[in-house]
Amino acid sequence: MPMAGGRLTRRAMLKQAALFGRRAALLGVVGLLVACQQPTSPPKPSDATPVPPRPTPQPTATLIRPVGDPKPAARATPQAGPPRPGGALVWATDSDPLDLDPHAGGSVTGAAAWADLTYQSLVMFDEQMRLAPALAEAWVMTDPTTWTFTLRQGVRFHDGSELEAEDVRAWFDRLRAPETNSPHRGWYSQVVKVEPRGRYEVTFTLNAPYAPLLATLASLRGSAIAPRRWLSRAPDTKLRAVGSGPYRIVAYVPGSHVAYEKHADYWERGLPLLDRLTMRIVPAEAARIEQLRAAAADRAAAVDRAAAADDAVTGAGGLSEDTAKRLRTDRTLTVLASASASQTITTLNTRRAPFDDLRVRQALALAADRRAALSRLLGEDGQLTGPIPTGFGSWALALEDLPTRRDVPQARRLLAEAGHADGFEAAIRTGEDALSKGVSALLADQLREVGITLRVEPLPAAEFARAVQARDFELVTGKLGFLPDPDAYLSGLYHSHGGQNAAGWSSKAFDDLVNAARTVMDPGQRKALYDEASNLLLAEAPAIWWFTEHTLEAVSSTLRGYAPAFSGRRAALKGAWIAR
């Protein structure tokens, strides 16, 4: 970080020189790497255990531990003998899916209802956020802009039809059709055409090299494959779904529930284990916990009577920290904490004075106490973060490399040099969620020490979204959820032409780094480029990256084999089972 007068110490200058030297070297080899790309087809996996294709980053394990346990547990729910098929699971959620259409629907809650459970794509994420084969069993990049996918043979959709290359082409045609009006179309703007090559092979032609392609497909943001004949009959895709996943949706009653049944012809051998799932829509947390306790009590009594396989086990997700702490003493329940992509970020409008001055932005970054915010607002249920969320495999900066030291005297010196020795007043806009408001209020307290007065202005959701989109703010605090690839956290949010660049910040050096990272497939080279880009962001301070939250969930203690996912989805339910 800079010292007085905006100058760097000798040590910092040497470190920055090394960083920029490495950046130049990395950018210098990009052309060579593109010219020498290696095929990225994975070994053919077994039916039971897909083998992650190369190249992929080797991520750190998702943190999964009971609340109050300082040591991460190896599994979210303990094993008790071999998995047993059968049984039914009910889980309570606070959000209605609203729309089951995987291409036209844009809601996060809708995707949570069908992603990985009902609909799948060519590629998927495994439990450690590695890329793994799904409906495509192999792929190869024959040149920098041509990918050929070999489909898994014998995959059956829920309507009984077999997956074929024409279904993949039908997906792409529907995604980009004007009448679909897909909010996900932009994720695939690099794809020029999708062409079948026989019954089980399909080729993607891109307009430029694009390393995030596989992760984008795995994200299921508009990439779900449905049977083309079913789609051609113009079904009610808002209320019905026909995919290839481990569970088929047999009923969706808005405001009430979504009912699932086991897909008997599912392609992963031996999965799923549960016969039925029911997602109950229960907005109030207290009501969700009441249902959870009642079901857990019924289950415990049923176990004593040698229960049948159909006895329900209930899970409730999305707990508040206080509720999770209260539940951890209940022996009929297990409270889980897992790393998530949910970041809390304060963005500075760099196109408005005084935040167009680097010294002012750096002063705010130095005056912000991130560790205090994490401790006060989340306790131990979160982690400090940089631009790429902590926990996203090995893509994120290491915790020890994050600039977390608070330096109030240096912040004052920078403000004085920028002509604000007496401070200034500004407004910080925030969403209505408690965490964003809490961070904004805490930042206002911390900035008083350097003479800055912040007015906290909570806004309703729609008004907040409009303000961010129009850059109608000086500072704004909000939350960012899961994005499928590190490119989305950097290019989309901070590139000079990024579609979500609310800060209005621009840097050619940064643009060059993320542009280059899009063109190389080697994960080590991409990681090095993203580290450089993240460090440049931290030095330029167009935002203050606070922390990521942990996902807190309470489940019946009889549930086995379930782990929350970093992405927020529930793919692990296909391997969950009930101890009886």
Side-chain angles (χ1 to χ4, degrees):
M1 299 299 287
M3 300 303 290
R7 295 183 295 274
L8 296 170
T9 63
R10 184 175 184 275
R11 179 181 179 184
M13 288 177 65
L14 291 172
K15 181 177 180 181
Q16 191 171 79
L19 290 173
F20 278 83
R22 187 160 72 249
R23 179 185 309 158
L26 289 168
L27 293 175
V29 301
V30 165
L32 178 62
L33 286 168
V34 172
C36 302
Q37 292 287 0
Q38 296 298 312
T40 57
S41 177
K44 186 173 181 179
S46 68
D47 290 337
T49 308
V51 177
R54 297 188 65 198
T56 59
Q58 294 303 310
T60 54
T62 300
L63 171 65
I64 301 171
R65 59 170 175 77
V67 169
D69 184 352
K71 297 179 180 179
R75 294 181 182 272
T77 51
Q79 298 295 318
R84 299 181 180 183
L89 171 69
V90 179
W91 85 85
T93 182
D94 60 351
S95 302
D96 192 315
L98 301 177
D99 189 340
L100 298 179
D101 193 311
H103 307 136
S107 74
V108 174
T109 55
W114 53 255
D116 298 308
L117 296 177
T118 298
Y119 282 117
Q120 299 177 306
S121 187
L122 301 177
V123 188
M124 64 183 176
F125 290 113
D126 71 8
E127 67 278 0
Q128 291 189 323
M129 294 304 298
R130 293 174 300 201
L131 294 168
L135 300 184
E137 65 178 6
W139 50 82
V140 63
M141 192 174 67
T142 53
D143 63 57
T145 58
T146 306
W147 295 72
T148 298
F149 294 83
T150 301
L151 301 185
R152 192 180 300 277
Q153 296 187 31
V155 172
R156 293 287 174 182
F157 289 110
H158 300 155
D159 65 353
S161 62
E162 185 182 4
L163 168 71
E164 297 176 341
E166 286 291 350
D167 295 306
V168 183
R169 174 155 60 184
W171 153 73
F172 186 63
D173 290 345
R174 184 174 193 255
L175 179 74
R176 64 178 182 174
E179 58 269 24
T180 303
N181 193 28
S182 175
H184 311 292
R185 183 176 179 178
W187 286 94
Y188 306 92
S189 60
Q190 295 81 10
V191 181
V192 177
K193 57 184 176 180
V194 173
E195 297 177 294
R197 302 292 185 189
R199 189 175 180 184
Y200 300 112
E201 192 171 275
V202 62
T203 296
F204 283 48
T205 302
L206 312 184
N207 56 20
Y210 188 58
L213 176 64
L214 296 178
T216 304
L217 290 170
S219 74
L220 287 171
R221 281 175 162 82
S223 61
I225 307 298
R228 65 188 186 279
R229 295 183 182 88
W230 178 72
L231 288 174
S232 69
R233 294 195 294 270
D236 185 358
T237 51
K238 291 183 179 296
L239 296 176
R240 297 179 59 205
V242 175
S244 59
Y247 292 98
R248 62 188 187 94
I249 294 177
V250 295
Y252 166 41
V253 180
S256 175
H257 68 278
V258 183
Y260 308 75
E261 287 184 355
K262 177 179 182 176
H263 178 27
D265 293 326
Y266 183 56
W267 59 269
E268 285 189 273
R269 186 179 301 165
L271 296 177
L273 296 172
L274 295 167
D275 289 335
R276 293 182 303 282
L277 304 174
T278 302
M279 183 182 76
R280 291 181 182 168
I281 301 162
V282 186
E285 183 179 72
R288 295 199 303 275
I289 299 307
E290 182 179 350
Q291 289 194 15
L292 175 60
R293 287 185 184 278
D298 289 344
R299 180 63 202 152
V303 168
D304 292 339
R305 298 194 304 270
D310 285 344
D311 284 338
V313 176
T314 304
L319 301 180
S320 67
E321 182 185 359
D322 289 343
T323 299
K325 287 180 178 178
R326 289 197 304 270
L327 293 179
R328 75 182 197 183
T329 58
D330 190 329
R331 294 189 177 185
T332 67
L333 306 176
T334 301
V335 178
L336 309 173
S338 63
S340 80
S342 180
Q343 288 177 299
T344 299
I345 304 170
T346 295
T347 300
L348 287 60
N349 190 340
T350 66
R351 297 191 180 181
R352 286 194 187 183
F355 308 107
D356 56 346
D357 191 317
L358 173 61
R359 296 165 297 185
V360 172
R361 300 198 303 271
Q362 290 176 332
L364 266 66
L366 285 168
D369 191 337
R370 298 167 180 82
R371 292 190 183 277
L374 175 63
S375 176
R376 185 178 303 182
L377 298 173
L378 289 182
E380 60 184 17
D381 286 314
Q383 298 182 89
L384 297 174
T385 189
I388 298 173
T390 301
F392 193 175
S394 58
W395 292 119
L397 289 173
L399 287 173
E400 59 267 23
D401 292 335
L402 297 177
T404 57
R405 183 178 64 89
R406 193 179 189 222
D407 192 338
V408 171
Q410 175 62 6
R412 288 174 176 156
R413 286 191 289 270
L414 286 169
L415 287 173
E417 183 181 330
H420 300 286
D422 296 327
F424 57 84
E425 295 185 4
I428 181 167
R429 294 188 152 186
T430 176
E432 292 189 306
D433 64 285
L435 195 57
S436 294
K437 290 193 291 186
V439 165
S440 298
L442 188 58
L443 180 61
D445 288 341
Q446 293 170 352
L447 293 186
R448 287 193 187 98
E449 295 185 50
V450 295
I452 297 175
T453 300
L454 283 186
R455 302 185 309 277
V456 179
E457 299 179 350
L459 298 177
E463 188 176 345
F464 178 79
R466 285 194 296 269
V468 173
Q469 184 67 29
R471 292 199 188 103
D472 183 18
F473 63 87
E474 293 174 296
L475 299 94
V476 64
T477 298
K479 296 172 68 174
L480 182 66
F482 172 69
L483 298 173
D485 188 88
D487 176 75
Y489 290 97
L490 301 180
S491 292
L493 297 174
Y494 302 105
H495 191 285
S496 299
H497 303 294
Q500 304 299 319
N501 187 350
W505 178 73
S506 180
S507 164
K508 183 179 184 304
F510 178 85
D511 293 350
D512 288 346
L513 286 166
V514 294
N515 287 343
R518 282 186 162 202
T519 67
V520 295
M521 294 304 303
D522 181 84
Q525 293 290 339
R526 289 190 78 204
K527 163 68 173 170
L529 289 165
Y530 288 139
D531 282 355
E532 298 290 347
S534 295
N535 280 315
L536 183 57
L537 277 172
L538 292 169
E540 290 279 327
I544 299 170
W545 295 269
W546 293 94
F547 44 66
T548 61
E549 300 172 66
H550 290 166
T551 297
L552 300 175
E553 295 187 26
V555 300
S556 166
S557 59
T558 56
L559 183 65
R560 301 286 187 266
Y562 173 72
F566 180 82
S567 64
R569 304 198 310 234
R570 298 182 182 273
L573 285 176
K574 68 185 177 185
W577 54 285
I578 299 170
R580 304 190 284 278

